[in-house]
Amino acid sequence: MMEILTSLLTLFAELSRLAFGGGNTILPEMQRRVVEVHHWMSAEEFSALFALSQAAPGPNLMIVTVIGWHVASLAGALVATVGMFLPPSVLAVGVLHAWERFKDRPWRAAVQTGLMPMVVGLVAASAALIARSADLDWKLAAITAGCAALAFKTKIHPVWLLLGGGVIGMLAELI
Amino acid sequence: METVVPTKRELFLGFLSLGMISFGGALPLARNMVVERRRWLRPEEFVELLGLCQFLPGGNIINLSVVLGMRFQGVGGAFAALLGLIAMLSMVVIALGAIYQHFHDDPHVRHLFAGLAAAAGLLISMAIKVALPLAAAVALVCFAAIAVPRLPLLTTMLVLTPVSVLLLARFGKNGGGQ
């Protein structure tokens, strides 16, 4: 048991350092290690847990918690979660600390200005990738377009747009 | 715009509720909460911190919770925000894992999730809200590099960011947000 917990901790701590841009970058490697190296579950089970973590609220990195739970119940969930989230958090705290220290340097303002279009591009790219995998037919694509327009033009809380999208998606398939 | 400094309790509860409502991408909801509703940050400060988070490993929204907590309330604040974000989500995902067998054969539930996932439109609107003219051109290149030939994220960021910094420092008006 202790051995499994240690493997969970080291595996996810290792993966956490590679997870630039969130969970999707490390997913193939995670799958390889969990399914093929450690034989903790079948490929189908992994896909099911992935779908589930996508559908659940929160970042899709939460797949780590449910994998840990699947492998070694509550202790596994805890250990996997800590392994995944603690190292990047410590790093983030350090980086922010340095960033605030350089507040008044002119180069910091330049870096800040230059970072902004990167933020926009990265957000737009994730939007495109998610839309491409989510919009399987024209009805779902119409939900995406309508949602984008409403979110841009109005002050409707995003949750209502999400719920609306979910309900319309369900109704559209019933007709 | 007046901003408010959140307490540890507010950080915890803020990220708790943010986590529970974030389906298919938490960033638009995070901006909505942090900038528009709770006014913890000005729009340009949000973009600045989000930019930092994108350069760190780990989930953007997870890093954002840590960085915001740290900024307002130090290490204790970082813990409060991070715990707020993931404690409840962990229980939800575990509960879902436990009852998954009952769910995954039901077509209604599948379609509900398909509609939820289609709300990627929120991300599109956020990208537009943040952009500026010259910055928009750089953003477009970044977008194209990642979304079309699927270049690796890290390479794109390492190549394009210095270009972006130089270009905007040289030709851009004082940017940094809306």
Side-chain angles (χ1 to χ4, degrees):
Chain A
M1 184 66 184
M2 210 52 215
E3 239 168 86
I4 293 181
L5 291 183
T6 318
S7 322
L8 275 171
L9 186 70
T10 46
L11 169 62
F12 288 117
E14 195 187 320
L15 287 175
S16 77
R17 283 172 297 160
L18 305 171
F20 287 92
N24 293 335
T25 31
I26 52 168
L27 208 66
E29 179 65 7
M30 193 188 297
Q31 205 255 15
R32 194 180 73 82
R33 301 284 278 274
V34 168
V35 175
E36 286 165 31
V37 178
H38 290 290
H39 301 290
W40 282 329
M41 62 188 68
S42 69
E44 286 99 297
E45 282 173 309
F46 187 89
S47 300
L49 295 188
F50 173 67
L52 183 154
S53 69
Q54 290 271 313
N60 48 18
L61 272 177
M62 297 309 296
I63 188 180
V64 165
T65 308
V66 76
I67 288 175
W69 171 79
H70 187 97
V71 174
S73 59
L74 221 51
L78 200 68
V79 160
T81 309
V82 168
M84 190 70 215
F85 295 137
L86 196 64
S89 301
V90 171
L91 186 65
V93 165
V95 166
L96 183 76
H97 192 73
W99 185 247
E100 308 251 286
R101 251 189 65 204
F102 297 128
K103 214 180 187 88
D104 304 320
R105 308 286 170 86
W107 62 260
R108 205 197 96 155
V111 170
Q112 210 167 303
T113 313
L115 269 180
M116 192 196 47
M118 294 300 293
V119 174
V120 178
L122 291 174
V123 170
S126 17
L129 295 178
I130 293 176
R132 197 187 292 163
S133 64
D135 294 344
L136 301 170
D137 58 37
W138 67 268
K139 284 180 253 175
L140 292 172
I143 295 177
T144 302
C147 183
L150 282 174
F152 186 61
K153 281 283 174 201
T154 67
K155 283 198 171 285
I156 301 174
H157 195 286
V159 170
W160 299 118
L161 297 175
L162 285 170
L163 279 179
V167 170
I168 293 172
M170 203 158 66
L171 292 178
E173 295 307 321
L174 289 179
I175 301 165
Chain B
M1 181 180 131
E2 287 289 308
T3 51
V4 183
V5 172
T7 62
K8 288 194 186 99
R9 189 187 145 82
E10 284 166 340
L11 284 165
F12 180 86
L13 292 176
F15 278 98
L16 182 82
S17 60
L18 176 65
M20 294 306 291
I21 58 175
S22 57
F23 291 87
L27 283 181
L29 293 153
R31 188 181 183 280
N32 184 274
M33 174 183 90
V34 171
V35 177
E36 283 165 31
R37 300 204 182 254
R38 306 206 177 201
R39 296 178 184 271
W40 293 347
L41 295 174
R42 294 196 302 276
E44 64 273 18
E45 290 173 322
F46 179 80
V47 175
E48 170 201 335
L49 290 183
L50 180 56
L52 277 187
C53 291
Q54 285 176 330
F55 270 82
L56 295 167
N60 289 333
I61 194 70
I62 294 158
N63 287 333
L64 193 68
S65 72
V66 171
V67 158
L68 268 182
M70 172 76 187
R71 179 189 175 112
F72 291 120
Q73 299 291 341
V75 174
F79 261 107
L82 178 64
L83 273 184
L85 182 63
I86 65 175
M88 194 71 112
L89 292 177
S90 302
M91 287 185 238
V92 171
V93 87
I94 289 173
L96 279 178
I99 55 178
Y100 185 73
Q101 300 307 76
H102 296 278
F103 268 105
H104 78 295
D105 288 330
D106 184 338
H108 294 327
V109 174
R110 273 218 309 278
H111 292 139
L112 172 73
F113 287 144
L116 278 178
L122 284 175
L123 275 173
I124 298 172
S125 90
M126 178 174 150
I128 303 174
K129 274 186 187 173
V130 174
L132 284 175
L134 175 61
V138 181
L140 201 66
V141 175
C142 170
F143 161 75
I146 292 182
V148 185
R150 303 296 307 268
L151 295 181
L153 182 71
L154 196 58
T155 323
T156 312
M157 283 163 72
L158 288 179
V159 172
L160 213 51
T161 307
V163 175
S164 171
V165 169
L166 287 177
L167 254 176
L168 289 177
R170 183 106 173 66
F171 303 110
K173 307 246 157 58
N174 268 347
Q178 291 181 325

